Amino acid sequence: YSIMEVLIMIGWDDGTVQMSGVDWLYEQNLVPMLVSRLDPSFEREPDVHMNAARALVDVVVKCPPTDKNQLVEHLQQPDILATIFQHMFSGSSSSLTNAMSIIIVLVQRAANRRAELPELANASELEEPFASILPHLPKILDLLTKPTSENELKYSYDTPPFGETRMKAVELFLVLFRSRYIEVDDTLITLRVLPALLDVFFNYPWNNMLHGLVESIIRTVLE
């Protein structure tokens, strides 16, 4: 087994909260250690970024939205989120895509938690990770509208390149639209995110994955 697989088995492999394992991993500062591996200095070792992100994504997705988990709560602390965004926009494409994967699942879990817990439905205070994400949305939109050549990955020879980074940005916007926070919606409207998404929808007529995500966003808006 790899170290990552062992950690997952100790703490959350079967999808249930094994409190003794989670407590120990929290006490060992697992989350900050994994987040530190997203540093751009590891870009020449892409497995470091990928394994750190996969472990953190597993921490989030295997904990039910209505349950409390020290590791998830630690990951959502403002200082930890600030470090993730610092790595995300450090100029490393690997740090960017792997950090964005973590943010996507955190937003999805928070949106699901809000939907499943009635007492949160009318909450006025913006919780994490949304509070930390909003200031960075202009930069994330720029990833979609102003792609750089290093972030583009050509999917086929007869279409313009779209790229993994831009696809991650669309995925993030989808989960943000599903969050149902007025402040989040207002920011998305102010930034004109929906027109930008429709532009890429029509500019990439053969990209089925992109079309599926944008269609889901439109359905979410109309619901």
Side-chain angles (χ1 to χ4, degrees), residues 94-110:
S94 177
S95 295
L96 173 60
T97 54
N98 283 289
M100 198 172 293
S101 295
I102 299 165
I103 297 299
I104 288 169
V105 295
L106 281 175
V107 173
Q108 183 63 69
R109 183 179 186 276

Side-chain angles (χ1 to χ4, degrees), residues 5 20 67 76 96 103 107 109 120 122 126 145 208 211:
E5 289 171 328
S20 60
D67 289 358
Q76 292 191 142
L96 173 60
I103 297 299
V107 173
R109 183 179 186 276
L120 296 179
N122 298 316
L126 197 63
T145 60
N208 293 337
H211 290 177

Side-chain angles (χ1 to χ4, degrees), residues 38-187:
L38 298 172
D39 190 283
S41 62
F42 293 106
E43 185 163 30
R44 294 186 178 181
E45 304 173 74
D47 286 349
V48 174
H49 287 166
M50 182 180 64
N51 287 334
R54 283 183 176 178
L56 289 169
V57 166
D58 265 351
V59 168
V60 178
V61 300
K62 292 192 175 180
C63 178
T66 55
D67 289 358
K68 288 191 174 183
N69 182 292
Q70 281 187 302
L71 296 177
V72 176
E73 291 176 359
H74 200 182
L75 185 56
Q76 292 191 142
Q77 290 296 310
D79 59 326
I80 296 293
L81 290 171
T83 303
I84 292 175
F85 281 112
Q86 180 182 348
H87 294 327
M88 183 186 294
F89 296 112
S90 63
S92 163
S93 59
S94 177
S95 295
L96 173 60
T97 54
N98 283 289
M100 198 172 293
S101 295
I102 299 165
I103 297 299
I104 288 169
V105 295
L106 281 175
V107 173
Q108 183 63 69
R109 183 179 186 276
N112 290 342
R113 178 177 173 81
R114 181 174 169 82
E116 293 181 27
L117 294 176
E119 62 270 25
L120 296 179
N122 298 316
S124 57
E125 185 177 351
L126 197 63
E127 65 176 350
E128 294 293 1
F130 301 105
S132 292
I133 289 172
L134 289 190
H136 297 285
L137 283 186
K139 288 183 180 179
I140 294 171
L141 181 60
D142 281 346
L143 295 174
L144 185 65
T145 60
K146 303 173 185 177
T148 59
S149 58
E150 66 182 65
N151 288 334
E152 292 178 344
L153 175 65
K154 198 166 184 177
Y155 285 117
S156 64
Y157 292 104
D158 58 349
T159 61
F162 190 68
E164 181 184 8
T165 300
R166 300 173 80 190
M167 195 70 74
K168 291 282 186 184
V170 177
E171 289 180 38
L172 179 55
F173 285 127
L174 171 58
V175 293
L176 285 170
F177 273 107
R178 288 176 173 170
S179 69
R180 306 298 187 185
Y181 272 105
I182 293 176
E183 191 171 345
V184 172
D185 289 344
D186 286 347
T187 303

Side-chain angles (χ1 to χ4, degrees), residues 192-205:
R192 296 183 56 81
V193 170
L194 197 54
L197 290 166
L198 291 174
D199 283 345
V200 295
F201 180 95
F202 290 110
N203 287 337
Y204 295 87

